C-alpha cells in the first residue's frame, strides 16, 4: 500500500480515494455491474443514464451538434450554449479559474467552444442554489448520439477549441478519420455533475484501454498535451494494455529519462495526488517504469498528421 491511499475506485468499496484502478481491478468487468452498485444521481446537465446511456457520437454528428448549440437550428436561434454564454459576466468564476485560457468573447462561435466551456455549461445553476437549467445535449439532441461503443477515444487539452478550422474536430478530419467514425470525448460522456466522479472515471478507463484508436491531439506549444496529468493517465492506460496510440500533430520532444510523472501539471490540484498514486498502483509502485512506459508509448505511436 502506497502512502495513505486506501482503495481504488473500482474495488467493491466504491468510496475509495483513488481515481484510477489498481492492476487487479483493471481486469474486473466493468459496466455490467458497476452501475448497479452506485445510486443513479442525475440532473439536467448529466448525460442520460441506465437504459438511455450513450457511449459515442460520430465526428460528423459532433460537428453538427456544436453548430446547433451555438447557432441554433431551424426556428430556434441562437443555440442554447450561446444564449447561456451571453448571460455570463466576464468576472464570473468560469473566466477566473480557467487560468486565463480565454477571456469572454464579444459573441460566441464554434471556434470559441472548448471543453472547459462545455463543462461549465453542463454544471451551470439557474439560481446558485442547485437549480440546474442547462440540459445535456444527449437529452435534447439524442438522434446525434449512439449507444454503440466508440471506435476512437481522444486525448487532448481542454483549452483547445473543439470547432473551427484549427479546432480538435478539424484536426481529427485532417488525420484521415472518417466522418462517420464514432468517438468518445470525455467532456460529453463523463457526468460533469456526478458527485462520485471516481465511478465516472473508472468507466472511462475502458475506452482508453480497449478502443481501436487512441488519438492524441498534439499542439506542440509550451503547454504540451504530455505535460497534462489526465493526458498522461490516458497514455499510460494504453501502454498498460499494450495497444498503439495515434498522434495528430507534433509533440514537443522530451529528453531521455524525462520525469513525466513527477512534472505533470493538472487543472484541478486535488486530482494530482490521485493520478500519481493511481499510476503507481497500476505499475507496481515504480516511477521509472511509468515514465518509460509513457515515453515508449509515444515513441511507438503512429503519426497521423505531421
Amino acid at each position: 500500500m502506497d502512502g495513505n491511499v486506501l482503495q481504488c475506485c473500482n474495488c467493491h468499496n466504491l468510496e475509495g480515494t483513488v481515481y484510477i484502478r489498481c492492476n487487479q481491478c483493471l481486469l474486473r468487468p466493468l459496466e455490467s455491474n458497476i452501475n448497479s452498485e452506485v445510486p443513479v444521481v442525475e440532473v439536467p446537465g448529466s448525460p442520460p443514464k441506465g437504459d438511455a446511456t450513450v457511449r459515442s457520437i460520430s465526428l460528423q454528428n459532433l460537428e453538427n451538434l456544436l453548430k446547433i448549440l451555438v447557432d441554433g437550428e431551424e426556428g430556434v436561434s441562437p443555440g442554447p450554449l450561446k444564449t447561456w454564454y451571453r448571460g455570463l459576466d466576464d468576472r464570473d468564476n468560469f473566466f477566473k479559474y480557467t487560468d486565463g485560457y480565454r477571456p469572454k468573447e464579444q459573441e460566441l462561435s464554434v471556434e470559441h467552444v472548448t471543453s472547459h466551456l462545455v463543462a461549465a455549461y453542463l454544471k451551470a445553476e439557474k439560481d446558485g442554489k442547485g437549480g440546474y437549467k442547462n440540459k445535456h445535449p444527449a437529452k435534447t439532441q439524442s438522434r446525434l448520439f449512439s449507444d454503440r461503443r466508440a471506435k476512437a477515444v481522444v486525448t487532448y487539452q481542454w483549452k483547445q477549441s473543439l470547432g473551427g478550422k484549427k479546432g480538435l474536430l478539424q484536426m481529427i478530419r485532417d488525420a484521415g478519420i472518417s466522418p462517420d467514425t464514432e468517438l468518445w470525448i470525455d467532456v460529453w460522456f463523463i457526468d460533469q455533475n456526478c458527485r462520485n466522479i471516481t465511478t465516472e472515471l473508472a468507466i472511462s478507463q475502458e475506452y482508453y484501454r480497449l478502443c481501436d484508436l487512441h488519438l492524441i491531439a498534439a499542439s506542440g506549444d509550451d503547454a504540451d498535451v504530455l505535460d497534462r496529468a489526465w493526458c498522461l493517465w490516458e497514455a499510460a492506460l494504453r501502454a498498460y494494455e499494450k495497444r498503439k496510440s495515434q498522434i495528430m500533430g507534433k509533440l514537443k520532444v522530451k529528453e531521455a529519462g524525462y520525469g513525466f510523472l513527477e512534472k505533470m501539471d493538472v487543472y484541478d490540484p486535488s486530482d494530482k495526488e490521485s493520478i500519481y498514486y493511481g499510476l503507481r498502483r497500476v505499475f507496481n509502485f515504480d516511477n521509472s517504469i511509468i515514465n518509460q512506459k509513457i515515453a515508449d508509448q509515444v515513441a511507438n505511436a503512429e503519426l497521423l498528421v505531421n
Side-chain angles (χ1 to χ4, degrees), residues 154-168:
V154 186
T155 287
Y156 68 108
Q157 296 190 74
W158 271 32
K159 71 173 184 177
Q160 182 176 3
S161 296
L162 296 176
K165 295 181 179 179
K166 297 182 179 181
L168 176 65

Side-chain angles (χ1 to χ4, degrees), residues 125-137:
E125 296 182 1
K126 179 169 55 180
D127 52 15
K129 300 178 181 178
Y132 297 88
K133 64 178 181 179
N134 297 325
K135 289 186 177 180
H136 192 285

Side-chain angles (χ1 to χ4, degrees), residues 12-284:
H12 288 287
N13 172 14
L14 288 171
E15 300 303 317
T17 58
V18 179
Y19 288 1
I20 302 172
R21 288 179 284 155
C22 65
N23 190 302
Q24 177 181 350
C25 281
L26 279 170
L27 305 179
R28 179 187 174 204
L30 244 185
E31 289 183 308
S32 60
N33 53 20
I34 193 171
N35 288 327
S36 64
E37 295 171 351
V38 182
V40 174
V41 178
E42 188 174 344
V43 299
S46 300
K49 299 182 185 297
D51 293 340
T53 296
V54 292
R55 295 179 175 85
S56 64
I57 184 170
S58 72
L59 174 57
Q60 180 69 68
N61 282 353
L62 187 49
E63 290 171 334
N64 292 339
L65 177 63
L66 286 183
K67 293 176 183 176
I68 291 171
L69 289 174
V70 174
D71 298 323
E73 48 191 337
E74 187 176 354
V76 181
S77 181
L81 182 61
K82 180 181 283 189
T83 299
W84 167 78
Y85 187 85
R86 284 177 174 176
L88 295 177
D89 188 294
D90 59 10
R91 294 169 294 180
D92 284 346
N93 283 340
F94 169 71
F95 299 102
K96 294 177 183 177
Y97 56 67
T98 53
D99 194 26
Y101 288 159
R102 186 160 304 178
K104 186 179 179 183
E105 303 289 343
Q106 186 172 358
E107 188 71 305
L108 186 70
S109 69
V110 292
E111 288 85 358
H112 305 140
V113 178
T114 67
S115 287
H116 282 301
L117 183 64
V118 172
Y121 170 78
L122 296 176
K123 292 187 288 188
E125 296 182 1
K126 179 169 55 180
D127 52 15
K129 300 178 181 178
Y132 297 88
K133 64 178 181 179
N134 297 325
K135 289 186 177 180
H136 192 285
K139 295 174 177 174
T140 59
Q141 303 290 335
S142 59
R143 70 187 188 281
L144 299 178
F145 289 80
S146 173
D147 63 357
R148 294 185 295 272
R149 182 74 65 156
K151 179 179 178 63
V153 64
V154 186
T155 287
Y156 68 108
Q157 296 190 74
W158 271 32
K159 71 173 184 177
Q160 182 176 3
S161 296
L162 296 176
K165 295 181 179 179
K166 297 182 179 181
L168 176 65
L169 302 187
Q170 185 61 49
M171 196 175 195
I172 295 173
R173 273 188 176 269
D174 291 343
I177 304 301
S178 171
D180 61 1
T181 300
E182 290 173 330
L183 307 173
W184 192 92
I185 297 180
D186 54 5
V187 73
W188 304 103
F189 298 100
I190 290 180
D191 188 351
Q192 302 302 317
N193 294 287
C194 183
R195 294 182 180 179
N196 192 351
I197 194 67
T198 59
T199 301
E200 295 294 315
L201 292 168
I203 292 173
S204 76
Q205 284 184 282
E206 295 299 274
Y207 293 89
Y208 291 102
R209 291 177 55 228
L210 302 179
C211 280
D212 291 345
L213 299 174
H214 172 224
L215 306 176
I216 299 177
S219 60
D221 60 19
D222 290 337
D224 192 72
V225 66
L226 291 182
D227 294 324
R228 306 301 299 173
W230 283 118
C231 296
L232 294 176
W233 168 68
E234 294 155 12
L237 285 175
R238 199 71 175 176
Y240 173 87
E241 197 65 23
K242 298 181 174 64
R243 303 195 68 176
K244 278 187 175 292
S245 298
Q246 292 75 34
I247 296 175
M248 306 179 299
K250 186 175 182 180
L251 288 170
K252 287 177 62 179
V253 177
K254 307 290 188 184
E255 66 269 19
Y258 185 81
F260 293 100
L261 188 62
E262 296 80 9
K263 297 179 181 180
M264 64 183 179
D265 193 14
V266 66
Y267 176 70
D268 184 347
S270 65
D271 289 346
K272 189 166 187 176
E273 184 176 10
S274 297
I275 297 172
Y276 179 85
Y277 286 116
L279 283 175
R280 282 177 56 79
R281 288 170 70 99
V282 170
F283 291 100
N284 297 318

